[in-house]
Each structure stands twice: as C-alpha cells, then as structure tokens.
Amino acid sequence: MNKTKAEILTIGDEILYGQLLDTNSQWMSAELDKIGIKTIRKTTVGDTREDILTAFKEAEARVDIVLITGGLGPTNDDLTKPCLAEYFGCEIAMNEAALQEVSNFFASKGLELTEVNRLQAALPVCCDMVSNKLGTAPGMWFERNGKVFVSMPGVPHEMKKMMTDTVIPQLQQVFQTDIIFHKIIKTIGIGESWLAEMIKDWEDSLPEHIKLAYLPSMGQVKLRLTAIGDNLDKLKVEVESLIQDLHKLAGKYIYGYDTDQIEEVVGKMLLDQHKTIALAESCTGGYVSHKITSIAGSSQYYQGSVIPYHNSLKIDILGVNEQTLLDHGAVSEQTVYEMANLVRKRFNADIGVATSGIAGPGGGTPDKPVGTVWIAYADGEQTITRKLQLWKDRDINIQATAVALLNLIRISLSKSIEIKQ
Amino acid sequence: MNKTKAEILTIGDEILYGQLLDTNSQWMSAELDKIGIKTIRKTTVGDTREDILTAFKEAEARVDIVLITGGLGPTNDDLTKPCLAEYFGCEIAMNEAALQEVSNFFASKGLELTEVNRLQAALPVCCDMVSNKLGTAPGMWFERNGKVFVSMPGVPHEMKKMMTDTVIPQLQQVFQTDIIFHKIIKTIGIGESWLAEMIKDWEDSLPEHIKLAYLPSMGQVKLRLTAIGDNLDKLKVEVESLIQDLHKLAGKYIYGYDTDQIEEVVGKMLLDQHKTIALAESCTGGYVSHKITSIAGSSQYYQGSVIPYHNSLKIDILGVNEQTLLDHGAVSEQTVYEMANLVRKRFNADIGVATSGIAGPGGGTPDKPVGTVWIAYADGEQTITRKLQLWKDRDINIQATAVALLNLIRISLSKSIEIKQ
C-alpha cells in the first residue's frame, strides 16, 4: 500500500544543544500515526539559514508532508518564516486576518499590541494562515506539487491546539490515508530474550500487515502490535484474536495494555477485591510507597508504610524479633517474612509487603553481594517470599525491586481470584 | 575556530511513531556541548535498512562524529548492527571480549547465557567494542577517514554510562576541541523572574566570552555559566570570581553546584553535623524518603520514616492527638507540628520532619483546596512550620512539596551552623 509519508522538522538551537527537551515531535508523530500517516524521519536543526533551507529540500524529496515547529518567535534569531518565504519564492507581507487575530489575542488580555508582535502577523504571501488560538505566532500552510509544509510554533500547547483544530483535519482531507491500529501488550517479570523465545512461533505466524515490536524497560517488556488495513473494526478483531493466542503462551506475564501502569493495575485489583495494603520498606526507602500513592484515589486501598531503615527501628517500631536479625541478618528471608506480617497487623491492612536488601554501592559481603534483595507478601492466609539478585547500581536496584514487588502483589492477587473462582 | 561537528542519530520505530519519548539525544547533545563539540543535527529514523543506511551516508557527509543510539536489542527488528557492518563493509563475527563481558553479566545474576544474548556479542570485525557495564548489548566504535561513528544501546542508563566512561573521553582524545568550561550554580526557593531581577546588573556585567543560561525546574533554578577560551585555569579563575560576586547578591538561595542535588546537600549537612533524621510523610507518600535514600551512604544519617496515610495510623502508629485531628484536620499546622515532633522522638532521631496536604485531584474543600500543604521541621530546640499553596496536579504537588521540605531542612541546618559560629 502506498502510504502517505511525513517528516517532522524541529528548528531551534536550544533543542539542538540539549537545553530543551523536544516533546513536540513525539506527540505529533503519535497524532499522525492515528490517521495512518507514517512518520519516516524526525530532524532537528539549529537557527541557521543554510541548515534550515537544506532540511526543507531534503525533506521535500523524501516525504509528502513536512511538519515544522519552532523558530517563529518575535526575535531576530527566529528564521523559520523568512526561510519558508525564500524556499517557496514569495515575499512576506502583512496578513490582515493574522493581524486581526493577534490584535484580538492582545485585546483579550487587556494588553496593547506591540510593534514586535504586530510584525508576527506578516506572513509569506504564498501560504495560508493557520489560526493560533493560544498565542501570537500564526501557523503557515504551504502546498506545492502535491506536497504540504506546515509551520507551527514550538510552544507545546499552541502547537497541539493548532494540530487538533486545523492541521490534522486538513491533512485527512488532502491525503488518502490508510487505517492503522496499534495495541500495546504490557508484560512484567520476564526478560526480552526469554519472552522472544517463548512466543517465537506466534511471532513468526503474524500476517504480513501486522507487525510486532519489543519495547523493553526496567523489569518490563512492552509488545506493540501495529496493524495496517482499510477497515478498523476488522483490524481490531484480528489483533484481539492474536492477543488471545498470545495469552495462551505468556498470559501470566501480561498485566495490562496501552497506557496501563503496574502500580495502577495493582491498585485496581486491590480496589476490586476490597483489600487494603501496608508496606514495610527497607532497601527501597519509600519508592514503592511513592509509586502506589502516585495513583489518584490510592487512599481507598493504601493504609500506609513504615521505613525502618535503621535496624533498631525494625525491632522498636515494627516489632521484628531481635534474634531473627542476629541469626539471619536484616537482608534475609526470615526478616522480610516477619516484616510483611507485622506491618500487615500493625497497620491494620489485609495485605502486608516488605523489602530488605543491599541496594549498594556499599554494604555488600561475599555471601550477600550488592544487589541481594528479599521481598515478601503476606495476606493472613499465606506468606510468599522471593530472593532477587540484581545489579551493582543503587537506583536501578531500587527500581527493579519495586517492579518485582508490585508484580508479586499482582500475581498473589490474581491467584486469590482463581482460588475464589 | 573550526568547531568539531556532531550528529545524533536515533534509530527505532517506537520513537519515530511517538510510542517512546527520546530523552537520550537531549542528554547526549548537552554532554557534547560541555566538551566543545557542536551538535548540528539530530535525526530519527525507523527500523528500516534503507533509511538507516541513507542516514549514515548523509550524516558522514555533514559531520565529524555520528553518535547512534537504539536498534541493538537481541530481537529481529533491531537492524543497527547489520547496517553498520554493511556500511563499513565488514563481516560480523563473535567478539571474544564482548562474549566474555556478556557471560560475566549473566553470571553475576546467576543466569544462564541464552543463545539470543550470546549473539549480541557478535560484532562487525571493523569496529572496536565499547563496554556496556549495565546491559547485554556492547557499544561499537568505528573510525574511517578521520570520522567517528559510535553505536550505543537505546536504554538510557546503559547509554549514559557508556558515554561517560568511554565515548566522551575518547572523543576528547581524537578531536582537537575548544576549551569550554561550564559551571552550574543551583538555586532553590526563588522563582526565575525574581532571581533574574535580583542579579540583573551582575548578568549585564558578564564578559563577552562568558554566557549565562537560566535552567528552571520544579522549585529550583539552575544558572549555567559557559566560558569559552584557550586556557582552562584562567577560565576557572574568572568564573570563580563571578560566582563570589553572585553569592553577595543571592547567596541564601544557592545550595550547590554542577551535579549537586538538594537531597545530597542536605545529606552532607546532616553527616557533617552528626545529626540523624526521621520523616512522617502523609501527602508525599514516601517520595521525600525515596529522594533521601537515593543517596548512597544515607543510612549514616537517615533513621527511617512512617507514612500514616490513613488518619487512624496518624493516631495509632505515630501518636498524633485524636483531638488535634478532630479540631484542625489532618492538613493543618497543628497536625504537622505534632507529626514532626513525634516521629523525631519515636524514631530516635535528632531531627523530625513532616508533610500533610491535599495532593489532588480529589479531596479539596473551599477552605482547603487541592494543593494546600503543610510541612514541619523539628529538632528539639525549635519547630518550624510552613504552609504551601501549590497546583492542581498530583505529581507536581508531591514533587514541589519534597523540594520545599528539603529546602526547609537545608535552611534550618544552615542556621544551626550560624548559631554555633
């Protein structure tokens, strides 16, 4: 199928030199993707005439649509507009419609139109003005030989409004586009390579028009299915049945889809099962509690936590048996077993969980090297403990332990459903 | 001076289609900037052989250095390695040094090396292997006609370690670069515009070869001085004297320099003053404890925390007076006052701090809208309380409260030094 191709061109020294993070191009390409326009390249150049003109030329040769952000400010170092006028070979003149909009914008704020801002309403005569409802720099729409260039401000909320209100609808009119359907399947508790081996046959059997991508992150692997066709409902049905097959192979590792987060999924399970949770965190130092409480409404199932970092507090505050610490140490199965059960009782929760480990870089011993972590789950009926052997990096060990603990809660809560069924 | 030019090439459909935000290229260009290498373009292409090879060719024609991330995973959709081998015209063979590293990496986790991961150690014979201390995909360093291509994994922490340990030092060796000296001055507790107003004359008096940039972030403003010249020692002396002048104007807001973090600075103050700290976190849900314990060695001054999210725990676990909660509510000066003093006593610490507020989105009332937060500091001699009126966003409110509390600890500890002096 001959897909419509797009390139996203970001203009600005501050992005090129790393002073500013470009979040626009991600959002824009995701929006294009939704209407079946394929972004085949993203380019960033600085505020330099030659580089901007070269980027225009290269992009026009590659794609049908060039979306440009940045370089529209009122100051002299903003070159996008003069470069577009030069590239499309027309002069810049005051655009009355644009001037009216900029004037209204200032009036609405009770401000007087400055000369600098008045000049922002001057546009290349060979483009159509694109309204900017939230700022002073109008967008510009150019068409030549069936190719479209659109210039938008770099300010994210101004660009997004312009894209949603005008650019996306007009692109759908101008170009005949495919339909693309994406589904992200989120797995946890299995490495990319193990998962790849586990689902190899399933992956090999995917039809030509449905592609699979692996997106690994800390302790998780996202699988993205991309289906291309001309009937959205048909694509959804196809993907749904593929996911059902995938479930037969790796269902126990799948915790959610698309934008689901593990702490969100665990929270929803607790809510649905009318269960409350309390945490005793040692090596994770509050990070798991932070993840859980980052979810709005978590107060409905999250009771609280204790972080008995100093061993004396494991005894004084939580009530861990001193002899346990003496015999087995703080980083041991016995200690997290007690911590999980004690915090459950003391904090009056249905479920208690615990972490204790050597996050590093210090504190390692030959039999308990940095990265040795114990986690535990207790719900009154059962107590589950797990040992993790993680990395040498403190931050990573804290994050990886959090993911492992959240997954242990997820697995235990899933089981308790199965038991009831 | 003829500056060395670089291009950053990001490879991967997930970034091209907007499934993943590219934060690597910002970080990388900022690192290059620090050593006087100018990034003149950033490019993103997908997992497509032709597009990758074209991007290599275009980049080689434009710049001296091409830094590549992504497309090094063990799965079939990763094409960077074969494309590099094809582009530089050599075959891929097992690299014994790389195989040794990958094997050690798996052994350190007590895992068996899978075939898929073993294959990651096969590299183009015309490149030098770049060690990956935190993952299984080695980096690759190519040199041809005085131009350098470096391929790194897309996983941020793996790429950053590789850049810092190997790539940046080697680039400095290979290329003759300007001498650039950066110094970042970190301020907290004052907004960008107020700070700019306060130091206006100082800023206007900066010499031509020393530039100032404002880098605002959550509750903090970083000032970056960039000095360019041919004598590093001379530049350092100049910048140092400028900083001394800056101190006279805004010293009380300056908490550190360069990579200093507020939680690190507070930790060092506690260590130097031989003081321990304990936290009672409500609305921040463990985030402040997480920040404090993210610092290696924090166990020397951090005793522990309690997160009495549910009000009953504020009474049962921490010992807050029930009448206080009834009379003033959990989000009140009286409650955080008690929380800070109680956690100090119960956790046997020199200093106790507390947070209680309405993070949102729910829970707001007319007299206590979302974003209303109380924080407290208690050290036995004094108790300091502060009210914050923050935003409507839950994440931002949690982060802003953490910054405000850490700054309150910093200010209190600085005072206690002054008193002693």
Side-chain angles (χ1 to χ4, degrees), chain A residues 42-62:
Chain A
K42 293 179 181 177
T43 301
T44 303
V45 295
D47 301 307
T48 311
R49 178 180 162 278
E50 296 68 26
D51 295 351
I52 294 172
L53 291 171
T54 308
F56 288 166
K57 192 153 172 295
E58 293 172 352
E60 188 175 11
R62 266 192 298 258

Side-chain angles (χ1 to χ4, degrees), chain B residues 307-318:
Chain B
I307 309 169
Y309 220 60
H310 195 288
N311 275 349
S312 67
L313 298 174
K314 293 187 175 73
I315 300 164
D316 302 342
I317 301 290
L318 196 50

Side-chain angles (χ1 to χ4, degrees), chain A residues 91-353:
Chain A
E91 63 176 4
I92 294 174
M94 185 53 64
N95 181 305
E96 289 311 321
L99 181 59
Q100 192 54 54
E101 284 206 348
V102 178
S103 308
N104 296 345
F105 182 82
F106 273 73
S108 71
K109 298 210 170 349
L111 296 169
E112 204 165 302
L113 185 61
T114 64
E115 178 57 19
V116 177
N117 293 105
R118 212 181 71 82
L119 287 176
Q120 290 192 286
L123 301 177
V125 295
C126 52
C127 79
D128 295 328
M129 187 260 292
V130 181
S131 291
N132 182 351
K133 297 268 178 295
L134 304 174
T136 60
M140 294 170 272
W141 179 290
F142 297 84
E143 271 188 64
R144 182 164 69 182
N145 311 327
K147 304 213 168 187
V148 170
F149 277 55
V150 188
S151 163
M152 290 170 274
V155 182
H157 71 273
E158 294 180 25
M159 175 279 292
K160 288 179 180 176
K161 179 100 175 120
M162 213 177 259
M163 279 282 283
T164 310
D165 291 0
T166 312
V167 179
I168 289 291
Q170 282 191 27
L171 289 176
Q172 283 178 297
Q173 279 180 21
V174 176
F175 295 93
Q176 186 68 40
T177 62
D178 295 335
I179 288 166
I180 292 198
F181 177 62
H182 282 291
K183 190 78 177 178
I184 292 176
I185 302 112
K186 296 193 163 179
T187 72
I188 187 167
I190 182 170
E192 180 178 11
S193 43
W194 286 272
L195 183 61
E197 289 188 343
M198 181 180 291
I199 64 174
K200 187 174 182 316
D201 297 346
W202 176 82
E203 180 174 357
D204 295 342
S205 74
L206 291 175
E208 187 51 40
H209 66 292
I210 299 184
K211 301 247 172 295
L212 175 71
Y214 291 80
L215 315 175
S217 64
M218 177 65 58
Q220 307 189 24
V221 179
K222 296 183 227 160
L223 300 172
R224 189 190 64 231
L225 285 171
T226 304
I228 303 178
D230 50 20
N231 180 328
L232 181 60
D233 296 333
K234 191 162 156 295
L235 293 176
K236 283 183 174 173
V237 171
E238 282 186 287
V239 167
E240 198 38 61
S241 90
L242 284 168
I243 288 176
Q244 282 173 21
D245 298 340
L246 182 64
H247 253 279
K248 298 188 188 102
L249 299 169
K252 60 190 267 206
Y253 300 108
I254 297 170
Y255 74 83
Y257 300 91
D258 299 327
T259 59
D260 293 342
Q261 299 164 277
I262 181 65
E263 56 267 27
E264 203 178 356
V265 169
V266 165
K268 196 177 172 316
M269 291 172 99
L270 289 165
L271 209 54
D272 294 345
Q273 297 183 33
H274 307 292
K275 286 178 179 164
T276 58
I277 192 166
L279 290 73
E281 296 192 60
S282 189
C283 64
T284 43
Y287 185 65
V288 189
S289 305
H290 163 59
K291 296 302 279 184
I292 289 174
T293 54
S294 69
I295 304 301
S298 46
S299 56
Q300 292 173 77
Y301 49 83
Y302 171 68
Q303 289 287 98
S305 304
V306 60
I307 309 169
Y309 221 59
H310 195 288
N311 275 349
S312 67
L313 296 175
K314 293 186 174 75
I315 301 165
D316 303 342
I317 300 291
L318 197 50
V320 171
N321 187 326
E322 183 164 12
Q323 201 57 45
T324 307
L325 292 172
L326 289 171
D327 295 346
H328 307 283
V331 180
S332 66
E333 177 168 29
Q334 293 81 355
T335 299
V336 288
Y337 185 104
E338 286 188 33
M339 286 170 71
N341 283 282
L342 285 162
V343 77
R344 173 179 173 274
K345 217 170 289 123
R346 299 253 167 138
F347 281 60
N348 186 30
D350 301 310
I351 295 162
V353 294

Side-chain angles (χ1 to χ4, degrees), chain A residues 42 293 305 307 391 394, chain B residues 15 42 109 293 305 307 394:
Chain A
K42 293 179 181 177
T293 54
S305 304
I307 309 169
W391 293 266
R394 184 179 183 85
Chain B
I15 287 180
K42 293 179 180 176
K109 295 206 186 4
T293 54
S305 304
I307 309 169
R394 183 179 183 86

